[in-house]
Amino acid sequence: LLNRSSDLVDGQYADYFDYKTLTCLFCTLSIVCALKNIHFFYMLAHKIVRLFKTARMSVLALTYITFIGSMLIANDMALLTFLPLAYLVLSTTGKEKYMAFTFIMQNIAANLGGMLTPFGNPQNLYLYTKFNIHTGEFMSIMSVPFFVSILLITLCCLAFVKPEPLEIEEEKTECNLPRAVIYLVLFALSIIIVFRIIPYWIGLIVIPAVLLIMDRKALKSVDYPLLFTFVFFFIFSGNMARIADVRNLFSALLEKNTLLFSVISCQCISNVPSAILLSQFTGNYRELLLGVNIGGVGTLISSLASLITFREYVRYNPGKSGYYIGLFSAFNFAFLIVLTVLMLLI
């Protein structure tokens, strides 16, 4: 058995892994957890939402906060941070009728808002590193669908939420300012690493060391299943790329239309696995990048963020999963079709 295992696992396995992607993702997630533990994002978002006095503007604010948050702290963390705030705002003001719509808009905003930055979505970080894409080129590729997404989200909020007056209850939330400053410095360090200004191993030493002293709970709260998802799909995609028939099939399909095939792939196996797998068979990173970002909307399994939103909605609204899935599918496939057709025509 030992000899058989050694035959199955050879020296090429070490080359499957993108160690910089794993390091950057770990560092970013750990710092976000530390900031979340001191209520930094919650306090900031609550102050912003209190500026608006109608249901329509509050839903827009909640959606925009999630949109911007996904650009800075990744889409899944943005949802875990801001979905509870949406529930709080809508439930305390008697506007539960907008709950499903708001969660869906936040979900779409999280998936599409993160597309503009290399660290906004996990698949972006991977492709940005693997293909060594220049930051300016990366943002240029994603700028059109990004701004179209903003327009579509805004129009939906204006069309489906009435300007009904509401009052948000005052809730006192304190934030440890010295810790916030230190964590923001660490967050800046992780961004610098993503942009290749300093070696990634520096962050792997400095950030965990600081958090071990200041907030060990943050290190325990990191989304390790997401990290292991990357590890397992690095292994899976590396092995698939070594099978000649698979390599020829995927290469042929991607050569015909990388954008469309990657969008379809996301609907079946989600966007992160699609990015890792398909990157083994094409060098057309522009269309692959567009496809795995646009493909984050659509089916419930097209993105981990969508499953997170569904879980949170059902937790707050038991017995309404069927209604949510129907509304979710209608809006998500509308966004998917518009963005895919637009990028195929450009």
Side-chain angles (χ1 to χ4, degrees):
L1 288 174
L2 290 174
N3 289 335
R4 187 175 179 83
S5 297
S6 63
D7 291 337
L8 292 173
V9 181
D10 56 28
Q12 293 188 44
Y13 270 63
D15 297 329
Y16 289 172
F17 304 104
D18 189 325
Y19 297 103
K20 181 183 176 182
T21 296
L22 292 171
T23 299
C24 291
L25 190 58
F26 168 74
C27 291
T28 302
L29 291 175
S30 61
I31 298 163
V32 168
C33 287
L35 285 166
K36 187 177 180 181
N37 287 344
I38 61 172
H39 309 294
F40 176 80
F41 300 115
Y42 193 84
M43 181 195 70
L44 183 64
H46 198 270
K47 287 183 179 295
I48 293 173
V49 172
R50 281 191 58 82
L51 295 174
F52 303 97
K53 305 299 183 182
T54 67
R56 175 183 288 170
M57 295 308 297
S58 290
V59 170
L60 267 173
L62 288 163
T63 305
Y64 284 160
I65 290 168
T66 309
F67 198 92
I68 296 169
S70 68
M71 295 168 58
L72 302 174
I73 62 176
N75 54 2
D76 55 343
M77 292 305 299
L79 287 169
L80 289 171
T81 302
F82 301 128
L83 285 175
L85 179 63
Y87 170 77
L88 174 68
V89 170
L90 296 173
S91 61
T92 57
T93 56
K95 304 299 179 184
E96 291 89 347
K97 62 182 179 181
Y98 294 123
M99 188 81 67
F101 174 82
T102 304
F103 273 45
I104 290 166
M105 286 299 107
Q106 285 183 286
N107 179 81
I108 292 174
N111 280 321
L112 298 179
M115 73 168 70
L116 187 65
T117 60
F119 45 83
N121 291 327
Q123 69 271 17
N124 284 3
L125 185 57
Y126 167 71
L127 294 175
Y128 176 79
T129 303
K130 178 177 177 59
F131 292 106
N132 198 31
I133 307 172
H134 187 273
T135 304
E137 182 187 6
F138 184 99
M139 298 183 75
S140 175
I141 291 171
M142 303 311 303
S143 60
V144 172
F146 175 80
F147 288 112
V148 171
S149 298
I150 295 176
L151 176 61
L152 292 176
I153 289 170
T154 303
L155 290 175
C156 285
C157 291
L158 293 176
F160 292 97
V161 182
K162 297 178 181 179
E164 303 168 0
L166 55 77
E167 293 183 3
I168 302 173
E169 293 181 1
E170 183 66 47
E171 183 177 345
K172 188 176 181 181
T173 304
E174 295 182 356
C175 174
N176 188 312
L177 185 58
R179 283 179 179 263
V181 171
I182 294 172
Y183 295 158
L184 288 173
V185 170
L186 293 178
F187 185 69
L189 175 64
S190 69
I191 293 176
I192 290 172
I193 293 169
V194 170
F195 289 142
R196 312 183 186 109
I197 297 175
I198 61 176
Y200 70 86
W201 56 265
I202 294 177
L204 190 58
I205 295 172
V206 173
I207 292 173
V210 173
L211 293 180
L212 275 172
I213 298 171
M214 299 190 67
D215 189 356
R216 294 185 181 183
K217 184 180 177 182
L219 293 174
K220 294 179 181 178
S221 302
V222 169
D223 190 352
Y224 290 107
L226 177 62
L227 290 172
F228 280 112
T229 297
F230 269 79
V231 170
F232 293 140
F233 272 97
F234 281 142
I235 296 172
F236 173 73
S237 60
N239 285 331
M240 292 289 284
R242 294 168 67 178
I243 301 173
D245 291 340
V246 173
R247 185 168 60 249
N248 293 335
L249 174 62
F250 276 72
S251 297
L253 289 171
L254 288 165
E255 186 176 351
K256 289 184 178 180
N257 197 313
T258 303
L259 172 60
L260 186 60
F261 185 69
S262 57
V263 167
I264 295 171
S265 175
C266 291
Q267 306 310 306
C268 303
I269 63 171
S270 190
N271 50 9
V272 172
S274 293
I276 297 173
L277 177 62
L278 300 182
S279 66
Q280 310 300 317
F281 307 100
T282 182
N284 187 355
Y285 60 80
R286 180 188 180 277
E287 291 194 7
L288 180 59
L289 190 60
L290 288 166
V292 297
N293 276 276
I294 293 171
V297 294
T299 64
L300 200 61
I301 63 170
S302 63
S303 169
L304 174 63
S306 298
L307 292 174
I308 290 173
T309 306
F310 176 69
R311 181 193 66 190
E312 291 296 298
Y313 179 80
V314 172
R315 182 162 71 91
Y316 292 125
N317 302 272
K320 294 186 177 181
S321 58
Y323 168 73
Y324 176 86
I325 291 173
L327 196 62
F328 173 93
S329 299
F331 279 106
N332 271 263
F333 278 106
F335 272 75
L336 180 67
I337 292 169
V338 170
L339 290 172
T340 302
V341 171
L342 175 66
M343 297 315 299
L344 286 172
L345 292 176
I346 293 180

